[in-house]
Amino acid sequence: MSSLAPFDHKKATQVLNFLGRAQGGSINKMKALKLAYFADRYHLRKYGRLIANDTYYAMQHGPVGSGAKDLVETTRMLDEHEEQYASQFIRPTGQYTFESIADIDNEVFSDSDIEALNFAWDTFGRYDHFQLRDITHKYPEWEKHKHTLRHYSRADMDIEDFLEDPSENVDKCFELDAEDKRDRQEQLSEAAVIEALWR
């Protein structure tokens, strides 16, 4: 099960802008993408949805939100509106970094979005990008694809796997009991049914 609702490029841009600001104005791209993943893992486990409804892939350096990756790398996958919006807030400063060039537009966020971003920064912001990559490799949603990634550059991730707990001693990104987990699974299933009806 990938992300269900349409990708919200404004939210994704502001997530990256938030993280750039938190880092002091400029941040490594991989670090930002990993912190965005941790915010999404927390938000999905606690509230039943991703922040910007990104599509996640397992890649060599860990989980990656596809839309966020396109934004930080200004790839050809961006449409004109996405590129124009993002360019008002973030700007590449080299092959591996980008900078925040405008204040965060908090209007796009819910209170729970900001809670999840603060969790990701407060919990993982002290690590560098390579440390974060290694930490993400300990989560089941990436670990299940590690053998596939020996032969392929990426693998589709199922966001329902975000509800599984890591076996190693790393932060779960919000504790779920059995009832909470069932509730989140039901939320995701119901969202999938609604999305199918709209297709």
Side-chain angles (χ1 to χ4, degrees), residues 49-119:
R49 66 167 175 83
L50 302 177
I51 294 173
N53 300 310
D54 212 337
T55 298
Y56 271 88
Y57 293 100
M59 301 183 74
Q60 182 181 1
H61 293 300
V64 176
S66 177
K69 183 176 185 291
D70 289 337
L71 289 168
V72 298
E73 295 181 349
T74 57
T75 71
R76 294 177 182 176
M77 299 300 293
L78 296 177
D79 67 30
E80 183 179 351
H81 298 294
E82 292 172 334
E83 187 172 359
Q84 285 181 352
Y85 181 83
S87 68
Q88 298 174 56
F89 295 95
I90 58 174
R91 177 173 57 203
T93 51
Q95 185 177 357
Y96 301 112
T97 58
F98 69 89
E99 65 179 352
S100 167
I101 57 173
D103 289 339
I104 303 161
D105 180 8
N106 285 306
E107 293 299 312
V108 304
F109 291 135
S110 66
D111 290 344
S112 63
D113 294 334
I114 294 171
E115 176 189 332
L117 287 166
N118 283 325
F119 162 81

Side-chain angles (χ1 to χ4, degrees), residues 157-170:
M157 294 180 76
D158 185 341
I159 60 170
E160 193 170 319
D161 291 335
F162 285 29
L163 302 177
E164 300 299 325
D165 290 339
S167 57
E168 297 195 49
N169 187 27
V170 291

Side-chain angles (χ1 to χ4, degrees), residues 119-153:
F119 162 81
W121 179 256
D122 293 344
T123 307
F124 298 103
R126 65 185 181 274
Y127 298 109
D128 70 23
H129 53 293
F130 290 122
Q131 290 172 314
L132 289 172
R133 172 201 61 192
D134 293 345
I135 293 169
T136 65
H137 286 183
K138 298 176 180 179
Y139 287 84
E141 57 266 34
W142 183 88
E143 198 171 21
K144 70 184 289 186
H145 298 292
K146 66 181 179 182
H147 297 298
T148 302
L149 294 173
R150 293 176 183 171
H151 307 286
Y152 299 94
S153 62

